[in-house]
Amino acid sequence: MIETRTADCSCEWWIELEVWEGDKRRTVRIDDAGAPFTLAPPVARIGTPADGGALKYGTTDLALAREGGAADRPPKGLSVSASRLLAGNLQEMWMVADRELPEVGRLTANLDVPGAVCQHVERILVADGALPAGRAAYAVSIVDPSGRQDLDGIVDVSLNVRKTVRQGAPPTGYGCYPDKWVLRSNDGQTAGTARLSGDTPHLPVLSGEPVRLTRETEGAPATDALFLGVEAWGPDEVEYHFTLDVTVVDGSGKRARHTVDDAGRPFVLAARPDGMAPRHEKHASYETGHRLGG
């Protein structure tokens, strides 16, 4: 395991290994698909404390500022954010793209790096505009940076949903299974799961879910997180766009309602036909070195 940190430089870096094969020595370079890895120093964020807290769950697009948003949310008040959980240990990756992406094929040609390939594939797909499909899990972060003591409360979560139909050719499906993957969904740790199908503009997911905001270190904000799953089934040209309504009631009975989105845009989950799984897709791969699809 190699970890890099920086406080003041924007750097490009890679790894060089000196490897002996019998009596011959050669140098192996490890980089980001042919390009150096990059690392930049930390910067001050403009978003709410909950926006920053979402980073620990893998969010890939953190809004630093939103038009009219920063002034509407007092910096010391409770804030709520949500992010989709990226493929991680023992979690499958399932996405669709409007076209076939050769970069993914090159990356999955050698799937013998457990715990790394599926996450790398997912980030390439996300960067190219691909959408999560079929099932996804989301973390709802609740943060209170005030000086109050640890807080107990309850949370209600519901989805505001808009269904759209994609035009053009059917999308290209991609699936990736990590090493030692077993048949279980990414949302196994969730408190509730919503199933999107047909026309359901408002869909409750959690009701009266208890939360306890605690501080991990002195001076840090009090935080807690809820995890929810969302499933989308139907014809493969269907997409669901949704935001979250999150209502937090603290121990004194004070109620605060938050509308949560994906860095200023709705979350999007593409539907997959009933009964389909990533292994049925043409581009389905397994991290231990063999391909399940074409």
Side-chain angles (χ1 to χ4, degrees):
M1 178 69 71
I2 296 176
E3 181 176 323
T4 61
R5 296 174 181 269
T6 183
D8 55 8
C9 81
S10 294
C11 309
E12 294 184 345
W13 63 278
W14 59 93
I15 301 169
E16 290 185 353
L17 298 180
E18 298 293 331
V19 181
W20 286 89
E21 296 177 339
D23 58 352
K24 295 182 179 181
R25 186 175 70 177
R26 66 187 181 95
T27 300
V28 178
R29 171 171 164 146
I30 301 173
D31 54 28
D32 188 11
F37 297 110
T38 59
L39 190 66
V43 296
R45 296 188 178 92
I46 304 173
T48 67
D51 288 333
L55 288 172
K56 70 173 67 175
Y57 302 110
T59 183
T60 57
D61 187 2
L62 176 64
L64 298 185
R66 305 182 193 177
E67 183 178 354
D72 297 336
R73 289 190 290 264
K76 294 185 178 181
L78 183 142
S79 59
V80 180
S81 183
S83 57
R84 181 175 67 89
L85 302 182
L86 301 185
N89 186 32
L90 300 183
Q91 294 180 350
E92 81 278 9
M93 182 280 300
W94 193 1
M95 301 190 77
V96 295
D98 288 335
R99 58 188 174 85
E100 189 169 331
L101 303 177
E103 308 96 299
V104 174
R106 289 193 289 269
L107 183 62
T108 57
N110 182 12
L111 293 170
D112 57 358
V113 187
V117 176
C118 288
Q119 295 181 56
H120 203 158
V121 168
E122 184 175 32
R123 290 184 183 277
I124 287 178
L125 288 164
V126 168
D128 232 307
L131 300 176
R135 179 192 295 117
Y138 299 84
V140 179
S141 304
I142 305 168
V143 177
D144 186 342
S146 70
R148 291 182 292 176
Q149 296 300 314
D150 296 350
L151 304 171
D152 291 315
I154 59 173
V155 174
D156 296 336
V157 180
S158 60
L159 305 184
N160 294 312
V161 186
R162 178 174 60 88
K163 186 180 87 169
T164 65
V165 178
R166 183 190 302 110
Q167 303 298 317
T172 300
Y174 289 90
C176 189
Y177 291 84
D179 184 42
K180 298 180 182 178
W181 179 85
V182 293
L183 186 59
R184 68 181 186 186
S185 66
N186 286 2
D187 51 16
Q189 62 181 328
T190 64
T193 298
R195 183 180 174 93
L196 305 178
S197 61
D199 296 301
T200 309
H202 190 77
L203 185 63
V205 184
L206 302 174
S207 180
E209 188 70 22
V211 294
R212 180 172 177 79
L213 277 64
T214 58
R215 288 174 173 79
E216 296 181 1
T217 59
E218 185 175 355
T223 66
D224 197 2
L226 295 172
F227 302 91
L228 59 96
V230 180
E231 298 180 348
W233 306 103
D236 59 8
E237 70 270 15
V238 171
E239 297 174 0
Y240 294 94
H241 300 239
F242 60 91
T243 59
L244 283 66
D245 275 346
V246 181
T247 300
V248 183
V249 183
D250 65 20
S252 67
K254 181 181 178 181
R255 180 181 298 267
R257 182 176 176 272
H258 303 260
T259 299
V260 183
D261 55 28
D262 184 17
R265 302 175 297 271
F267 292 99
V268 183
L269 188 62
R272 300 304 301 145
D274 286 340
M276 291 291 285
R279 61 183 176 275
H280 297 134
E281 297 292 351
K282 177 181 178 182
H283 300 282
S285 305
Y286 197 71
E287 252 185 8
T288 54
H290 63 276
R291 187 178 303 279
L292 300 172

PDB file of all heavy atoms in Angstrom, residues 14 48 55-56 69 110 119 149-151 183 191 207 217 230 239 266 277 291:
ATOM      1  N   TRP A  14       4.525   8.730 -10.340  1.00  0.00           N
ATOM      2  CA  TRP A  14       4.288   7.335 -10.720  1.00  0.00           C
ATOM      3  C   TRP A  14       5.192   6.450  -9.866  1.00  0.00           C
ATOM      4  O   TRP A  14       6.013   6.934  -9.091  1.00  0.00           O
ATOM      5  CB  TRP A  14       4.544   7.125 -12.219  1.00  0.00           C
ATOM      6  CG  TRP A  14       5.925   7.467 -12.674  1.00  0.00           C
ATOM      7  CD1 TRP A  14       6.998   6.634 -12.776  1.00  0.00           C
ATOM      8  CD2 TRP A  14       6.375   8.757 -13.084  1.00  0.00           C
ATOM      9  NE1 TRP A  14       8.102   7.316 -13.219  1.00  0.00           N
ATOM     10  CE2 TRP A  14       7.746   8.620 -13.437  1.00  0.00           C
ATOM     11  CE3 TRP A  14       5.767  10.000 -13.213  1.00  0.00           C
ATOM     12  CZ2 TRP A  14       8.502   9.691 -13.883  1.00  0.00           C
ATOM     13  CZ3 TRP A  14       6.529  11.057 -13.671  1.00  0.00           C
ATOM     14  CH2 TRP A  14       7.870  10.910 -14.001  1.00  0.00           C
ATOM     15  N   THR A  48     -21.320  23.557   1.759  1.00  0.00           N
ATOM     16  CA  THR A  48     -21.703  23.344   3.150  1.00  0.00           C
ATOM     17  C   THR A  48     -20.801  22.293   3.787  1.00  0.00           C
ATOM     18  O   THR A  48     -20.143  21.518   3.091  1.00  0.00           O
ATOM     19  CB  THR A  48     -23.157  22.867   3.238  1.00  0.00           C
ATOM     20  OG1 THR A  48     -23.244  21.548   2.659  1.00  0.00           O
ATOM     21  CG2 THR A  48     -24.091  23.809   2.504  1.00  0.00           C
ATOM     22  N   LEU A  55     -17.339  13.660   0.716  1.00  0.00           N
ATOM     23  CA  LEU A  55     -16.139  13.166   0.050  1.00  0.00           C
ATOM     24  C   LEU A  55     -15.722  11.794   0.563  1.00  0.00           C
ATOM     25  O   LEU A  55     -15.192  10.978  -0.188  1.00  0.00           O
ATOM     26  CB  LEU A  55     -14.987  14.161   0.242  1.00  0.00           C
ATOM     27  CG  LEU A  55     -15.085  15.471  -0.531  1.00  0.00           C
ATOM     28  CD1 LEU A  55     -13.988  16.423  -0.090  1.00  0.00           C
ATOM     29  CD2 LEU A  55     -14.998  15.208  -2.020  1.00  0.00           C
ATOM     30  N   LYS A  56     -15.955  11.518   1.840  1.00  0.00           N
ATOM     31  CA  LYS A  56     -15.510  10.242   2.390  1.00  0.00           C
ATOM     32  C   LYS A  56     -16.272   9.059   1.807  1.00  0.00           C
ATOM     33  O   LYS A  56     -15.820   7.922   1.907  1.00  0.00           O
ATOM     34  CB  LYS A  56     -15.649  10.246   3.916  1.00  0.00           C
ATOM     35  CG  LYS A  56     -17.074  10.232   4.426  1.00  0.00           C
ATOM     36  CD  LYS A  56     -17.127  10.068   5.947  1.00  0.00           C
ATOM     37  CE  LYS A  56     -16.571  11.275   6.645  1.00  0.00           C
ATOM     38  NZ  LYS A  56     -16.730  11.172   8.122  1.00  0.00           N
ATOM     39  N   GLY A  69     -26.916  29.634  -3.659  1.00  0.00           N
ATOM     40  CA  GLY A  69     -26.989  28.613  -2.626  1.00  0.00           C
ATOM     41  C   GLY A  69     -26.260  28.971  -1.355  1.00  0.00           C
ATOM     42  O   GLY A  69     -26.757  28.767  -0.264  1.00  0.00           O
ATOM     43  N   ASN A 110      -6.363  -6.854 -18.409  1.00  0.00           N
ATOM     44  CA  ASN A 110      -5.554  -7.523 -17.387  1.00  0.00           C
ATOM     45  C   ASN A 110      -6.206  -7.259 -16.037  1.00  0.00           C
ATOM     46  O   ASN A 110      -5.995  -6.223 -15.431  1.00  0.00           O
ATOM     47  CB  ASN A 110      -4.117  -7.002 -17.415  1.00  0.00           C
ATOM     48  CG  ASN A 110      -3.235  -7.697 -16.399  1.00  0.00           C
ATOM     49  OD1 ASN A 110      -3.628  -8.713 -15.833  1.00  0.00           O
ATOM     50  ND2 ASN A 110      -2.059  -7.161 -16.161  1.00  0.00           N
ATOM     51  N   GLN A 119     -12.994  -0.165  -9.539  1.00  0.00           N
ATOM     52  CA  GLN A 119     -13.102   1.246  -9.185  1.00  0.00           C
ATOM     53  C   GLN A 119     -12.516   2.123 -10.281  1.00  0.00           C
ATOM     54  O   GLN A 119     -13.052   3.189 -10.593  1.00  0.00           O
ATOM     55  CB  GLN A 119     -12.391   1.499  -7.861  1.00  0.00           C
ATOM     56  CG  GLN A 119     -13.055   0.782  -6.686  1.00  0.00           C
ATOM     57  CD  GLN A 119     -12.345   1.067  -5.381  1.00  0.00           C
ATOM     58  OE1 GLN A 119     -12.184   2.215  -4.995  1.00  0.00           O
ATOM     59  NE2 GLN A 119     -11.915   0.020  -4.695  1.00  0.00           N
ATOM     60  N   GLN A 149     -23.545  19.967  21.881  1.00  0.00           N
ATOM     61  CA  GLN A 149     -23.105  18.602  22.170  1.00  0.00           C
ATOM     62  C   GLN A 149     -23.692  17.637  21.139  1.00  0.00           C
ATOM     63  O   GLN A 149     -24.482  18.020  20.279  1.00  0.00           O
ATOM     64  CB  GLN A 149     -23.530  18.214  23.587  1.00  0.00           C
ATOM     65  CG  GLN A 149     -22.876  19.047  24.680  1.00  0.00           C
ATOM     66  CD  GLN A 149     -21.363  18.918  24.665  1.00  0.00           C
ATOM     67  OE1 GLN A 149     -20.840  17.819  24.573  1.00  0.00           O
ATOM     68  NE2 GLN A 149     -20.670  20.044  24.741  1.00  0.00           N
ATOM     69  N   ASP A 150     -23.282  16.365  21.242  1.00  0.00           N
ATOM     70  CA  ASP A 150     -23.788  15.358  20.318  1.00  0.00           C
ATOM     71  C   ASP A 150     -25.311  15.382  20.299  1.00  0.00           C
ATOM     72  O   ASP A 150     -25.963  15.559  21.328  1.00  0.00           O
ATOM     73  CB  ASP A 150     -23.299  13.965  20.733  1.00  0.00           C
ATOM     74  CG  ASP A 150     -21.783  13.855  20.649  1.00  0.00           C
ATOM     75  OD1 ASP A 150     -21.164  14.776  20.090  1.00  0.00           O
ATOM     76  OD2 ASP A 150     -21.239  12.861  21.146  1.00  0.00           O
ATOM     77  N   LEU A 151     -25.893  15.188  19.110  1.00  0.00           N
ATOM     78  CA  LEU A 151     -27.314  15.399  18.916  1.00  0.00           C
ATOM     79  C   LEU A 151     -28.006  14.105  18.505  1.00  0.00           C
ATOM     80  O   LEU A 151     -27.492  13.341  17.691  1.00  0.00           O
ATOM     81  CB  LEU A 151     -27.546  16.454  17.827  1.00  0.00           C
ATOM     82  CG  LEU A 151     -26.868  17.815  18.050  1.00  0.00           C
ATOM     83  CD1 LEU A 151     -27.005  18.666  16.809  1.00  0.00           C
ATOM     84  CD2 LEU A 151     -27.473  18.498  19.257  1.00  0.00           C
ATOM     85  N   LEU A 183     -22.815 -12.763  -4.231  1.00  0.00           N
ATOM     86  CA  LEU A 183     -24.081 -12.217  -4.713  1.00  0.00           C
ATOM     87  C   LEU A 183     -24.781 -11.455  -3.606  1.00  0.00           C
ATOM     88  O   LEU A 183     -25.544 -11.996  -2.824  1.00  0.00           O
ATOM     89  CB  LEU A 183     -24.977 -13.345  -5.236  1.00  0.00           C
ATOM     90  CG  LEU A 183     -26.281 -12.892  -5.897  1.00  0.00           C
ATOM     91  CD1 LEU A 183     -25.986 -11.980  -7.077  1.00  0.00           C
ATOM     92  CD2 LEU A 183     -27.089 -14.097  -6.357  1.00  0.00           C
ATOM     93  N   ALA A 191     -30.522   1.423   5.245  1.00  0.00           N
ATOM     94  CA  ALA A 191     -31.701   1.365   6.107  1.00  0.00           C
ATOM     95  C   ALA A 191     -32.974   1.153   5.313  1.00  0.00           C
ATOM     96  O   ALA A 191     -33.989   0.720   5.854  1.00  0.00           O
ATOM     97  CB  ALA A 191     -31.805   2.651   6.918  1.00  0.00           C
ATOM     98  N   SER A 207     -38.639   6.535   7.093  1.00  0.00           N
ATOM     99  CA  SER A 207     -39.561   7.293   7.931  1.00  0.00           C
ATOM    100  C   SER A 207     -39.186   7.078   9.394  1.00  0.00           C
ATOM    101  O   SER A 207     -39.135   5.935   9.866  1.00  0.00           O
ATOM    102  CB  SER A 207     -41.000   6.842   7.680  1.00  0.00           C
ATOM    103  OG  SER A 207     -41.905   7.566   8.482  1.00  0.00           O
ATOM    104  N   THR A 217     -13.552  13.914  16.652  1.00  0.00           N
ATOM    105  CA  THR A 217     -12.457  14.588  17.342  1.00  0.00           C
ATOM    106  C   THR A 217     -12.958  15.914  17.897  1.00  0.00           C
ATOM    107  O   THR A 217     -13.928  16.485  17.401  1.00  0.00           O
ATOM    108  CB  THR A 217     -11.265  14.852  16.394  1.00  0.00           C
ATOM    109  OG1 THR A 217     -11.709  15.654  15.296  1.00  0.00           O
ATOM    110  CG2 THR A 217     -10.688  13.545  15.864  1.00  0.00           C
ATOM    111  N   VAL A 230     -31.376   2.450  -4.177  1.00  0.00           N
ATOM    112  CA  VAL A 230     -32.366   2.779  -5.190  1.00  0.00           C
ATOM    113  C   VAL A 230     -32.222   1.776  -6.326  1.00  0.00           C
ATOM    114  O   VAL A 230     -31.110   1.529  -6.811  1.00  0.00           O
ATOM    115  CB  VAL A 230     -32.181   4.216  -5.728  1.00  0.00           C
ATOM    116  CG1 VAL A 230     -33.242   4.532  -6.785  1.00  0.00           C
ATOM    117  CG2 VAL A 230     -32.263   5.231  -4.588  1.00  0.00           C
ATOM    118  N   GLU A 239     -34.666   6.294 -18.046  1.00  0.00           N
ATOM    119  CA  GLU A 239     -33.823   6.855 -17.001  1.00  0.00           C
ATOM    120  C   GLU A 239     -34.711   7.503 -15.942  1.00  0.00           C
ATOM    121  O   GLU A 239     -35.783   8.016 -16.256  1.00  0.00           O
ATOM    122  CB  GLU A 239     -32.876   7.928 -17.564  1.00  0.00           C
ATOM    123  CG  GLU A 239     -31.875   7.432 -18.575  1.00  0.00           C
ATOM    124  CD  GLU A 239     -31.078   8.579 -19.181  1.00  0.00           C
ATOM    125  OE1 GLU A 239     -31.323   9.748 -18.786  1.00  0.00           O
ATOM    126  OE2 GLU A 239     -30.238   8.312 -20.055  1.00  0.00           O
ATOM    127  N   PRO A 266     -29.951  16.746 -10.592  1.00  0.00           N
ATOM    128  CA  PRO A 266     -30.589  15.547 -10.044  1.00  0.00           C
ATOM    129  C   PRO A 266     -29.662  14.335 -10.152  1.00  0.00           C
ATOM    130  O   PRO A 266     -28.802  14.260 -11.034  1.00  0.00           O
ATOM    131  CB  PRO A 266     -31.830  15.358 -10.933  1.00  0.00           C
ATOM    132  CG  PRO A 266     -32.055  16.673 -11.588  1.00  0.00           C
ATOM    133  CD  PRO A 266     -30.701  17.302 -11.741  1.00  0.00           C
ATOM    134  N   ALA A 277     -28.627  -8.791 -14.950  1.00  0.00           N
ATOM    135  CA  ALA A 277     -27.561  -8.529 -14.005  1.00  0.00           C
ATOM    136  C   ALA A 277     -26.311  -8.178 -14.801  1.00  0.00           C
ATOM    137  O   ALA A 277     -26.235  -8.444 -15.998  1.00  0.00           O
ATOM    138  CB  ALA A 277     -27.303  -9.752 -13.123  1.00  0.00           C
ATOM    139  N   ARG A 291     -13.115 -12.728 -18.396  1.00  0.00           N
ATOM    140  CA  ARG A 291     -14.202 -11.906 -18.875  1.00  0.00           C
ATOM    141  C   ARG A 291     -15.479 -12.725 -18.889  1.00  0.00           C
ATOM    142  O   ARG A 291     -15.484 -13.889 -19.301  1.00  0.00           O
ATOM    143  CB  ARG A 291     -13.876 -11.408 -20.281  1.00  0.00           C
ATOM    144  CG  ARG A 291     -14.857 -10.387 -20.836  1.00  0.00           C
ATOM    145  CD  ARG A 291     -14.394  -9.933 -22.220  1.00  0.00           C
ATOM    146  NE  ARG A 291     -13.062  -9.384 -22.169  1.00  0.00           N
ATOM    147  CZ  ARG A 291     -12.782  -8.144 -21.796  1.00  0.00           C
ATOM    148  NH1 ARG A 291     -13.761  -7.320 -21.439  1.00  0.00           N
ATOM    149  NH2 ARG A 291     -11.549  -7.707 -21.767  1.00  0.00           N
TER     150      ARG A 291
END
